[in-house]
Amino acid sequence: KLAAVGRATASALEKAGLDVDLVPTTGSSGAALAAEFPSGPGTVLLPGAEQTAGTLEPRLEEKEWRIFSLPIYSTQLVASIEPTIALLWQAKTYAAFIATSGSTVRSAARLGPTIPIVAIGISSSNEARRAGFEVVIQAKSPAPHDIVAAIQELLEEG
């Protein structure tokens, strides 16, 4: 059986010819997947980032699954940020920064947690708060129309 953390991942797997058995209906995160994952026992192979948010594994273990993590990529902070981008960031020119992952938040935080964040999910939202960003709005989903709606909400509030 095959599970995907969200609709975009499921679509990519299906395009590769794989059948996806489980996609969370309430979000696109490890927590959402864990909430809808059936109880074990059994074994789960979990390919993903070397540094995870740590939400999926313990919740699956609570459901009596044995987890084998398979790191297939590593995220790294950007080595440098274009000086013009940094200057505009410091001048608070940007209305918002769209946070697509915890690593994008950590890279942005190097410029200072001064720009409002629109997070595409709970992981990036939590990471933005931990990094000290004061204004964090979480989109209802990572779908483009939900991200646009979150940006509109931010602009209307500001």
Side-chain angles (χ1 to χ4, degrees):
K1 298 217 175 228
L2 184 61
V5 74
R7 191 71 244 152
T9 302
S11 293
L13 292 167
E14 290 163 349
K15 284 180 185 172
L18 300 169
D19 293 324
V20 179
D21 302 290
L22 176 64
V23 181
T25 58
T26 59
S28 296
S29 68
L33 180 58
E36 296 186 35
F37 215 86
S39 293
T43 303
V44 174
L45 177 63
L46 190 60
E50 189 173 52
Q51 311 86 4
T52 68
T55 55
L56 182 56
E57 297 91 335
R59 291 182 181 161
L60 293 182
E61 287 170 345
E62 288 171 6
K63 292 185 172 192
E64 300 183 15
W65 290 99
R66 194 168 103 183
I67 308 300
F68 285 98
S69 294
L70 177 62
I72 57 173
Y73 66 93
S74 177
T75 57
Q76 297 178 3
L77 296 180
V78 293
S80 65
I81 296 173
E82 178 74 31
T84 303
I85 292 171
L87 285 171
L88 293 171
W89 184 282
Q90 297 304 324
K92 298 184 181 183
T93 303
Y94 302 112
F97 178 79
I98 300 171
T100 57
S101 67
S103 60
T104 61
V105 170
R106 289 187 295 277
S107 289
R110 292 173 52 200
L111 294 170
T114 57
I115 302 297
I117 296 288
V118 172
I120 68 163
I122 190 71
S123 297
S124 52
S125 180
N126 288 342
E127 189 67 31
R129 287 186 181 89
R130 276 193 296 274
F133 287 90
E134 292 181 19
V135 179
V136 179
I137 293 180
Q138 184 177 319
K140 288 185 175 128
S141 83
H145 67 275
D146 284 334
I147 294 170
V148 169
I151 293 169
Q152 288 173 328
E153 177 185 337
L154 176 69
L155 294 175
E156 289 168 5
E157 287 179 3

